[in-house]
Amino acid sequence: MVRGESQELSHVVGASEPPLIEKTIGAMLAEAAARDPDGEALVVRHQGVRLTWAELKRRSDAVACGLLAAGIRPGDRVGIWAPNCAEWTILQFATATAGMILVTINPAYRTSEVEYALKKVGCRALVTAVRHKTSDYVAMLREVMPELAAATPGTLRARALPDLRLVATIGEEAHAGCLRFGDLEGAVDAAQLAAIPIDAHDAVNIQFTSGTTGFPKGATLTHRNILNNGYFVGAGIGLSKADKVCIPVPLYHCFGMVMGNLACLTHGATMVYPAEAFDPLAVLETVAAERCTALYGVPTMFIAVLGRPEFDSFDVSSLRTGIMAGSPCPIATMREVIDRLGMHQVTIAYGMTETSPVSFQSAMDDPIEERVSTVGRVQPHLAVKIVGPDGETLPRGEPGELCTRGYSVMQGYWDDAARTAEALDEDDWMHTGDIATIDAKGYCRITGRIKDLVIRGGENIYPREVEEFLLTHPHIADAQVIGVPDERYGEELCAWVMTRGGAALSEEEVRDHCRGRIAHYKVPRYVRIVETFPMTVTGKVQKFVMRETMIAELRG
């Protein structure tokens, strides 16, 4: 190799200091409680909950012991299907302490989606909200499992979900066949918990990511994966025990539970939840009342907060930093975040669930241009490279597929060796499917997507999943789904539909078929009933032609 050649290639390795954390999440919680027992760990505004680190550890330990008493064992999968709340976080730490694997389920999931998720990973227990927005979770579970109503809590036997034994509901209401979450908080047996053999390399979390085949994949993450990622993300914005982090992003995403909760845990900062789900007014009220120093969100969230008519009536001067991720940030929005919210040290982060999630992050003092045109530089203890179609590492500045390797890469997709092998090569490189460049200074720019991914308001949607669902309609013969630009969400879904035998079908009927049966963000905003799709001479659908047609039509 010619001297200096390696510096010209798009292969970058992050710093090797500080060293990686080789502890479990439960051990880190114990350390936090011992170091700062009276420090504020968790504030949940909409529930009126305030917990110190000592109280959070005690309640988490109590739930861990309660799960063990109910017959749930280390290694068992425990689902959580709920919006942001104190019980979510208590369960996150309880399952980690007991050596169990938390399965995070999107609150927007409907019956078919939650059934698939619980069955795929063989959940032994499920903690669920009773309802959220228009979703009646208990009714949906009874639809999937009619046996639930007559079951004795802890001894459930359901044909559709043969592994599930226990359902616990959040709140004071009693529901047939279910235990109340509060009843799980039993006496703490410290000796029992201490005797559980847990290694930092053990799986602790399964997160579902949409799949191109229409079925979500369960990315399996370890204590070492997510604890370290939380630490380095928090270090990137200078977190300490003096900080309060406002977390309006959902906990079921890595953004909430890793970049939020675990960043706070590893730096002693306070986790603050403004509402069950994102509410821009609640964010402003919470930042002002709690004197939050950091705020998280995707660009659309910041746009909504800045757009509130009451904005100027709130004192947000406590803010100094935060993280923006999920989709590219318009420069005008970044300037407002810095100037009006006072977040001069705001950073941009990029990653994917399979890498725990963050692999690139901008620095607090990066120029604003770098914070909107790039996703920053590689995180410590990670390596990244840009490869061409044949797998060769490309020169700096040349676009290709972004690959990541290091501590953050998942164990694999749960019970799916084939798709794991597609994503992770024999040298342990995670192939992201994103097209990117790395410049001479190491800054990364995401320039496109190899997979036909649509990012709507920070939610990743694979069109194939929506297409397969549309095909369940008896009058739909074929469907193609694309993303089209949208000022509010970045992208919106558009479905082109061909009917079966020329059957009469309206655009609204297509949307009605989706509503209540798939997550709301997967329901196409735009629907077009067509006779044919644009095709190549070899019979492949030309989605780019569809996209260009729709953009021209929408611009009018």
Side-chain angles (χ1 to χ4, degrees), residues 249-476:
V249 294
L251 293 174
Y252 78 89
H253 266 176
C254 278
F255 203 168
M257 69 166 287
V258 179
M259 299 160 69
N261 290 356
L262 297 185
C264 288
L265 170 67
T266 51
H267 294 279
T270 305
M271 303 166 268
V272 183
Y273 308 155
E276 281 192 339
F278 175 66
D279 177 339
L281 181 58
V283 168
L284 287 167
E285 291 171 344
T286 299
V287 168
E290 299 295 331
R291 307 302 294 157
C292 292
T293 58
L295 174 61
Y296 286 4
V298 300
T300 51
M301 291 181 174
F302 284 100
I303 291 168
V305 169
L306 291 160
R308 288 296 304 188
E310 316 93 331
F311 180 89
D312 290 332
S313 66
F314 291 98
D315 179 3
V316 296
S317 60
S318 56
L319 286 172
R320 67 168 182 85
T321 190
I323 296 174
M324 198 180 300
S327 58
C329 176
I331 191 165
T333 300
M334 178 61 80
R335 290 194 188 281
E336 281 199 277
V337 166
I338 292 173
D339 296 339
R340 296 181 64 202
L341 283 169
M343 294 169 57
H344 299 283
Q345 298 177 328
V346 66
T347 69
I348 295 291
Y350 161 84
M352 60 192 306
T353 303
E354 291 88 339
T355 56
S356 302
V358 174
S359 48
F360 285 90
Q361 187 174 0
S362 62
M364 291 186 286
D365 58 355
D366 274 342
I368 187 171
E369 290 75 15
E370 301 288 9
R371 284 188 261 183
V372 295
S373 65
T374 82
V375 292
R377 288 179 279 198
V378 68
Q379 282 270 24
H381 298 279
L382 297 179
V384 292
K385 65 179 180 178
I386 306 295
V387 301
D390 297 327
E392 75 283 12
T393 303
L394 298 174
R396 296 284 180 109
E398 191 169 323
E401 184 179 18
L402 175 63
C403 298
T404 306
R405 185 169 69 179
Y407 79 85
S408 70
V409 175
M410 66 173 181
Q411 281 189 340
Y413 296 121
W414 186 272
D415 192 30
D416 201 334
R419 288 206 279 181
T420 298
E422 291 173 4
L424 284 172
D425 66 26
E426 57 187 12
D427 294 320
D428 297 324
W429 286 99
M430 177 74 208
H431 289 251
T432 67
D434 284 326
I435 302 170
T437 63
I438 294 178
D439 68 18
K441 295 180 180 179
Y443 287 96
C444 177
R445 288 167 172 80
I446 306 299
T447 60
R449 295 184 292 276
I450 295 172
K451 299 172 185 175
D452 198 13
L453 180 69
V454 176
I455 302 179
R456 180 192 180 275
E459 293 283 0
N460 290 352
I461 307 169
Y462 283 90
R464 186 63 184 161
E465 182 180 356
V466 182
E467 288 163 1
E468 291 194 4
F469 179 79
L470 290 173
L471 293 177
T472 64
H473 191 291
H475 296 326
I476 293 178

Side-chain angles (χ1 to χ4, degrees), residues 37-120:
D38 298 324
E40 205 159 49
L42 178 64
V43 176
V44 187
R45 289 269 297 173
H46 59 283
Q47 291 180 298
V49 171
R50 309 185 84 90
L51 297 177
T52 65
W53 288 107
E55 289 167 340
L56 179 58
K57 174 174 166 48
R58 179 187 59 77
R59 292 192 63 182
S60 296
D61 286 354
V63 171
C65 289
L67 288 168
L68 291 165
I72 314 303
R73 296 289 172 251
D76 282 349
R77 275 74 65 205
V78 178
I80 173 71
W81 191 24
N84 292 8
C85 59
E87 292 85 355
W88 206 110
T89 300
I90 290 167
L91 186 70
Q92 178 184 356
F93 291 116
T95 50
T97 298
M100 298 165 190
I101 302 172
L102 186 68
V103 181
T104 52
I105 299 171
N106 189 332
Y109 270 9
R110 310 299 291 188
T111 49
S112 64
E113 295 159 318
V114 75
E115 179 182 357
Y116 173 84
L118 294 172
K119 189 172 184 178
K120 176 65 179 176

Side-chain angles (χ1 to χ4, degrees), residues 186-216:
V188 175
D189 185 338
Q192 180 189 31
L193 295 177
I196 299 172
I198 311 175
D199 186 84
H201 292 81
D202 289 344
V204 71
N205 177 218
I206 296 173
Q207 298 210 14
F208 282 95
T209 64
S210 291
T212 53
T213 62
F215 296 105

Side-chain angles (χ1 to χ4, degrees), residues 111-124 126 140-141 144-147 156-167:
T111 49
S112 64
E113 295 159 318
V114 75
E115 179 182 357
Y116 173 84
L118 294 172
K119 189 172 184 178
K120 176 65 179 176
V121 300
C123 273
R124 197 80 170 170
L126 173 66
M140 282 192 274
L141 289 172
V144 174
M145 303 177 292
E147 303 93 337
L156 176 66
R157 294 290 189 279
R159 179 178 297 178
L161 297 169
D163 297 300
L164 194 63
R165 294 290 176 268
L166 174 68
V167 176

